[in-house]
Amino acid sequence: MVQEAGRFPCTMCGACCRHISGIAELAGFDKGNGICKHLDETSNTCTIYANRPRICRVDAMFEAFANSHSRQEFYALNLKACQILQQKNKN
């Protein structure tokens, strides 16, 4: 798990990158099967990580929603979504 103080605890499972269909901001990244064309499926790493879109950056998105949720609440919501995507990957 990648976790720095004050950063989202990403497990680098790649589940979010395998379920991008329906996300308007990522339409141009979809390989046509819901998987991001920038996901290295062997290592579950993003090949454009340093330049990935804002929507792919949990901490950057928190800044956009900081007025409606605390960081802890925002992380909890994102972790719940992450768990749902991980379950979808198992099926």
Side-chain angles (χ1 to χ4, degrees):
M1 179 180 337
V2 175
Q3 185 171 6
E4 298 174 30
R7 298 193 62 99
F8 183 72
C10 178
T11 62
M12 296 180 65
C13 69
C16 57
C17 304
R18 286 182 168 80
H19 296 278
I20 67 167
S21 60
I23 301 173
E25 296 89 345
L26 298 176
F29 292 80
D30 193 332
K31 290 195 299 188
N33 58 359
I35 298 174
C36 180
K37 65 183 179 183
H38 297 292
L39 174 67
D40 178 329
E41 295 185 60
T42 303
S43 64
N44 286 332
T45 58
C46 177
T47 61
I48 61 164
Y49 186 82
N51 298 309
R52 70 197 185 280
R54 187 171 190 217
I55 196 162
C56 297
R57 301 168 183 261
V58 175
D59 291 300
M61 292 306 296
F62 166 72
E63 298 301 326
F65 293 98
N67 292 333
S68 58
H69 299 289
S70 70
R71 185 176 298 272
Q72 183 177 1
E73 291 168 333
F74 193 75
Y75 281 4
L77 290 169
N78 278 271
L79 285 170
K80 184 174 183 172
C82 183
Q83 291 167 347
I84 291 168
L85 292 176
Q86 287 174 351
Q87 284 296 342
K88 282 185 178 186
N89 266 1
K90 289 181 183 177
N91 297 331

